[in-house]
Amino acid sequence: MKRICVVGTGYVGLVTGTCFSDLGNEVRCLDIDEEKIAKLDGGNLPIYEPGLEELVRRNARAGRLSFTTSYPDALRNADIVFIAVETPSGPEGEADMRYVRAAAQMVAKQLPSDRLTIIVNKSTVPVGAADLVAQIIRRKNPTASFSVVSNPEFLREGNAVADFMNPDRIVLGASEKEVGARVAELYAPLKCPVVITDLRTAEMIKYASNAFLATKISFINEIASVCDKLGADVKEVARGMGLDRRIGASFLDAGLGYGGSCFPKDVKALAHMAAIHGCHPQLLRAVMEINHDQRRAMLARIRSLFGTLEGLVIGILGLSFKPNTDDMREAAAVEIIRLLQHEGTEVRAYDPVSSNVARTILTNTVLHDDAYSVADGADALIVVTEWNEFKNLDMARIKSLMRNPVLVDGRNLYDPQEMLALGFNYSGVGRGHLSLDVQALPSRPSKARTVKRPAVPLEEG
Ligand code: NAD
């Protein structure tokens, strides 16, 4: 049993702290956000993450997990301190280290000199950040006895508890092997491969992993655009590719691109690091460009169909950046909604869990309580997040409610043939001959506007 302090009780910190307490350790979770801590003290979760609430309650009840806003309280007798604060994008794409710096300074003040405290960077931080944290602590508290370890996190929101408890690997960077081994002991019950390496290599493993996964997504999205033009179906292409074990099936889903609090900022930060050290990160730049293009291409499809976006009523299904989370950071929905509103579209939306978060971000968007009321009177529906709930909708009812049955499936959730049979004007991403631009638009009952039918290019279809 170790005494652990986790600084930053967000998606990563709360999951880390809770899971370590579930493994039998005594954990104090610290945050500067008083509201968050008050909620947790009251047994409520400040975030949505499947399975986490029950685990928090169970371990809090057992006295192994507690929450505080006080650094002295949190660090008293701590053997290991995890820093899990946010590292958002700065103006140049760099990782903004101000929260990590502040946390390191506050931690430094509490460190004793008579026994070793291990400080673990769990936040995704630029290469060299462990040295920076060590410097900050040394400057603030010259007599402190400490060692800094890098332990990047690979969990996925929406599956965070399961990912934490069943990791593919644990990566630890340490300048002293025995200190790395002490952190590795915490993970021993998980029985997974542990890579112990030097600090900078561990930090780079995290960025390289996220950049590679983002590259897979942008790769398949680029292939999807070509499929659309040449009449191939990207879903089948991805299946055929993914069965090759050298390639693998995951992260080959064409759609509206990656979002969330990690991939966008981490690819940007890696490109920034590379550029300022004299490299030319052209692949990473292309990955980011393709990701942006995916969202704009969706709008272009609808514009080409109606001739304009001005005055249309468009429904958005799904707001979170992916299913099973309420996280809307860098969500495709946010970018798409802003672009639509900029062009004079009336936007309404529904998400199974993100409404509270959405209210603080999307002030001009009407939020509905279900998909059917979003469809009612809409000119087009765009599926932005692939929630399971959307797979089971009564699509005949959805169609009957719409003013124009235009279905833009940004996540390739539906079977194109089924949607066409129901009478939708259906478009997926990279579904070849089933693209919108080669289908005729049904006549539009609206008095307000006339609809331009798209020309059917002869070489397609
Ligand atoms: P988050 O924004 O959900 O949580 C960060 C928390 O830290 C917030 O509650 C904030 O109030 C708190 N905080 C900020 N400064 C503090 C300070 N000085 N002292 C105490 N608390 C402070 O962020 P997150 O999504 O949990 O991400 C944390 C880090 O983990 C980031 O570097 C991120 O890149 C990385 N990461 C995130 C994920 C993910 O899926 N979210 C996955 C892997 C890695």
Side-chain angles (χ1 to χ4, degrees):
M1 192 274 283
K2 291 269 191 312
R3 280 163 307 208
I4 296 172
C5 165
V6 181
V7 180
T9 311
Y11 287 88
V12 166
L14 183 57
V15 172
T16 301
T18 306
C19 291
F20 277 140
S21 70
D22 205 54
L23 295 174
N25 300 287
E26 189 184 306
V27 181
R28 299 283 276 156
C29 286
L30 164 76
D31 207 288
I32 47 172
D33 184 335
E34 290 179 2
E35 209 178 305
K36 228 174 222 186
I37 295 301
K39 262 194 181 163
L40 286 160
D41 271 337
N44 298 309
L45 246 58
I47 54 166
Y48 174 80
E49 186 59 50
L52 187 57
E53 190 161 273
E54 197 259 318
L55 216 55
V56 168
R57 288 195 180 151
R58 173 147 51 90
N59 286 288
R61 239 183 282 127
R64 288 188 296 265
L65 177 65
S66 56
F67 304 97
T68 181
T69 53
S70 151
Y71 270 87
D73 201 16
L75 273 124
R76 193 169 306 123
N77 301 324
D79 305 307
I80 303 182
V81 179
F82 284 85
I83 297 181
V85 299
E86 63 267 48
T87 47
S89 280
E92 300 298 319
E94 76 282 10
D96 182 348
M97 288 291 284
R98 89 180 85 157
Y99 304 94
V100 174
R101 285 172 190 273
Q105 286 184 4
M106 294 298 287
V107 166
K109 288 190 205 162
Q110 310 302 327
L111 295 181
S113 48
D114 55 350
R115 65 183 172 80
L116 182 83
T117 309
I118 301 175
I119 314 296
V120 185
N121 278 348
K122 185 155 269 308
S123 296
T124 303
V125 283
V127 176
D131 298 334
L132 172 76
V133 166
Q135 241 174 45
I136 291 171
I137 295 175
R138 223 172 283 123
R139 208 177 303 131
K140 201 84 194 161
N141 183 351
T143 63
S145 166
F146 70 97
S147 185
V148 179
V149 168
S150 164
N151 172 213
E153 181 52 58
F154 298 95
L155 62 77
R156 294 161 300 171
E157 283 176 28
N159 205 47
V161 173
D163 282 351
F164 192 93
M165 292 300 204
N166 306 287
D168 288 339
R169 79 308 205 183
I170 295 297
V171 173
L172 293 167
S175 47
E176 300 148 89
K177 272 250 149 62
E178 61 285 2
V179 175
R182 277 172 64 180
V183 179
E185 280 169 25
L186 285 178
Y187 292 100
L190 305 182
K191 302 199 184 327
C192 66
V194 178
V195 178
I196 302 190
T197 180
D198 63 86
L199 288 162
R200 286 174 179 245
T201 305
E203 289 163 343
M204 184 52 106
I205 288 172
K206 173 65 190 175
Y207 279 106
S209 302
N210 273 5
F212 182 74
L213 295 175
T215 302
K216 271 187 105 174
I217 294 172
S218 281
F219 175 84
I220 201 66
N221 279 334
E222 182 149 301
I223 295 296
S225 306
V226 184
C227 285
D228 262 341
K229 297 290 174 204
L230 301 184
D233 182 346
V234 76
K235 267 198 120 155
E236 290 297 302
V237 172
R239 201 171 96 80
M241 286 172 64
L243 287 168
D244 184 330
R245 272 171 294 174
R246 294 168 305 174
I247 297 173
S250 56
F251 290 83
L252 281 184
D253 294 314
L256 293 169
Y258 58 81
S261 66
C262 292
F263 285 7
K265 80 170 174 62
D266 293 347
V267 179
K268 250 190 254 171
L270 180 55
H272 176 83
M273 265 185 275
I276 61 167
H277 287 94
C279 304
H280 179 47
Q282 52 193 315
L283 176 61
L284 298 176
R285 286 176 183 153
V287 166
M288 293 188 275
E289 208 176 306
I290 293 167
N291 204 56
H292 277 299
D293 285 351
Q294 281 310 100
R295 287 124 195 226
R296 291 179 172 81
M298 261 307 133
L299 264 60
R301 285 176 186 217
I302 302 179
R303 194 187 297 106
S304 74
L305 193 63
F306 288 100
T308 176
L309 293 172
E310 170 77 34
L312 294 179
V313 176
I314 293 190
I316 302 291
L317 293 185
L319 294 169
S320 54
F321 85 91
K322 67 174 181 181
N324 299 325
T325 179
D326 61 350
D327 195 344
M328 285 182 60
R329 288 178 283 185
E330 301 270 347
V334 177
E335 190 175 349
I336 289 172
I337 288 173
R338 292 212 171 115
L339 289 168
L340 285 169
Q341 287 173 336
H342 181 70
E343 299 217 23
T345 307
E346 184 189 320
V347 183
R348 69 250 304 254
Y350 165 67
D351 186 279
V353 303
S354 301
S355 295
N356 286 340
V357 180
R359 259 177 218 110
T360 63
I361 302 174
L362 304 168
T363 42
N364 290 333
T365 307
V366 182
L367 299 173
H368 287 249
D369 292 332
D370 61 57
Y372 300 103
S373 60
V374 167
D376 196 358
D379 292 304
L381 275 187
I382 309 179
V383 179
V384 180
T385 315
E386 63 276 37
W387 282 96
N388 267 340
E389 180 179 322
F390 299 153
K391 292 180 192 157
N392 299 317
L393 291 172
D394 177 349
M395 293 308 285
R397 184 174 160 211
I398 291 274
K399 184 195 164 259
S400 71
L401 289 166
M402 294 178 72
R403 183 159 63 180
N404 273 299
V406 173
L407 179 59
V408 181
D409 186 355
R411 298 294 179 184
N412 288 341
L413 204 59
Y414 301 109
D415 180 77
Q417 303 296 350
E418 278 176 27
M419 294 303 116
L420 290 172
L422 283 172
F424 278 108
N425 197 300
Y426 176 86
S427 164
V429 180
R431 312 305 300 268
H433 56 290
L434 294 166
S435 292
L436 257 187
D437 52 355
V438 293
Q439 291 171 52
L441 185 73
S443 63
R444 185 162 186 228
S446 163
K447 292 167 259 136
R449 293 172 297 279
T450 49
V451 175
K452 253 205 220 157
R453 280 171 187 272
V456 180
L458 286 176
E459 71 274 20
E460 296 186 32

